[in-house]
Amino acid sequence: MADEEDAGIFAFERFTEDGQRALAIFNTSLNQTSSTSLEGTVLPTGFTAGTELADLWRDVGGVHVVDPDGTLQIELPPSSAMILVEESIASGLEL
């Protein structure tokens, strides 16, 4: 439903040819800040617990850390997106 905490969230993972993982998260809601969780269920990822992730699209002032169970809870503003990669990889990229 449109008023649920995860309204508009769409997420998927992809790999580069050399095996690096990227997580794309979109909030397609036009007017709601949404979360990657719903009623206590948080977005599972393929990243190892404790992995520090950086966003390639936005400067959000820090890293996002994967929870001990491999999940990641993030809030995204309306009509926004994030492309998350390991922080160590992101810091070496020139975009």
Side-chain angles (χ1 to χ4, degrees):
M1 301 316 251
D3 59 348
E4 292 178 342
E5 63 187 299
D6 69 340
I9 293 292
F10 174 67
F12 60 91
E13 291 185 359
R14 291 292 184 263
F15 295 90
T16 63
E17 290 182 7
D18 60 352
Q20 300 299 326
R21 183 185 307 265
L23 172 61
I25 307 173
F26 300 86
N27 180 1
T28 63
S29 175
L30 298 177
N31 55 14
Q32 177 177 318
T33 295
S34 296
S35 174
T36 58
S37 67
L38 176 63
E39 297 175 359
T41 300
V42 182
L43 177 72
T45 75
F47 289 100
T48 304
T51 300
E52 295 182 342
L53 304 175
D55 185 5
L56 295 180
W57 278 359
R58 302 183 309 153
D59 180 12
V60 293
V63 297
H64 305 279
V65 180
V66 177
D67 291 333
D69 60 356
T71 61
L72 186 66
Q73 184 169 355
I74 294 179
E75 288 190 349
L76 276 80
S79 300
S80 66
M82 302 175 85
I83 303 294
L84 298 170
V85 297
E86 290 185 35
E87 199 280 328
S88 60
I89 295 168
S91 63
L93 295 176
E94 291 186 32
L95 301 176

